[in-house]
Amino acid sequence: MTFRTRVRKNEVGLVFRHGDLHRVLAPGRHRTRKRPFGPDEVEVVDVLVTRFEHPLLDVLLEETALREQLVVVDLLDHQRAFVWKDGRLFAIVGPGRHAFWNRPYRVEVEVVDVTATVPFEHPKLDAILRHEDAPKFFRAIRVSAGEQIHDVAGRGIVTKDRVTV
């Protein structure tokens, strides 16, 4: 006995056998066979949902056919990343492993080290500070020209008129 699965153009099919990823299905019609110890399970994932989240993400990324379709970001405790989708800020992510579909959108990732000295400067700082995830990762302080602020170590930092993060 066989089961039919249809994977649409904006989807990817994940075929699991005994709980392990067996293969990745491209768009189209596919048949899976009923196995003596249970049928293959097919999970269809929408790539229009840019961020790919799955409880088995670390294991799934070992499959080359799937990993090639993703932009994977693996951040250490002192790193953050800006994820740009078609030139617009999509997400700010912290430590851990994150995956984003590389189609149909153009996804670019910019990793920053948060242990770097203040002030944090970026050509798109306003967009970053307006993003809903910004308060989780940044604290903005507006400093006037010549005003002095102190970092965690108590060192004085004289800045120009800019936002210090």
Side-chain angles (χ1 to χ4, degrees), residues 35 149-150:
R35 307 254 175 228
I149 61 169
H150 297 275

Side-chain angles (χ1 to χ4, degrees), residues 85-136:
K85 179 172 105 174
D86 286 342
R88 292 180 289 277
L89 185 59
F90 172 73
I92 303 172
V93 294
R97 188 170 288 158
H98 311 275
F100 303 90
W101 295 106
N102 62 17
R103 68 177 178 97
Y105 310 106
R106 186 183 81 251
V107 174
E108 298 172 42
V109 176
E110 181 181 355
V111 177
V112 295
D113 184 344
V114 295
T115 60
T117 60
V118 292
F120 172 73
E121 295 180 14
H122 193 280
K124 296 182 179 179
L125 185 61
D126 288 338
I128 292 168
L129 292 177
R130 279 195 313 267
H131 194 273
E132 64 186 34
D133 293 337
K136 296 178 197 173

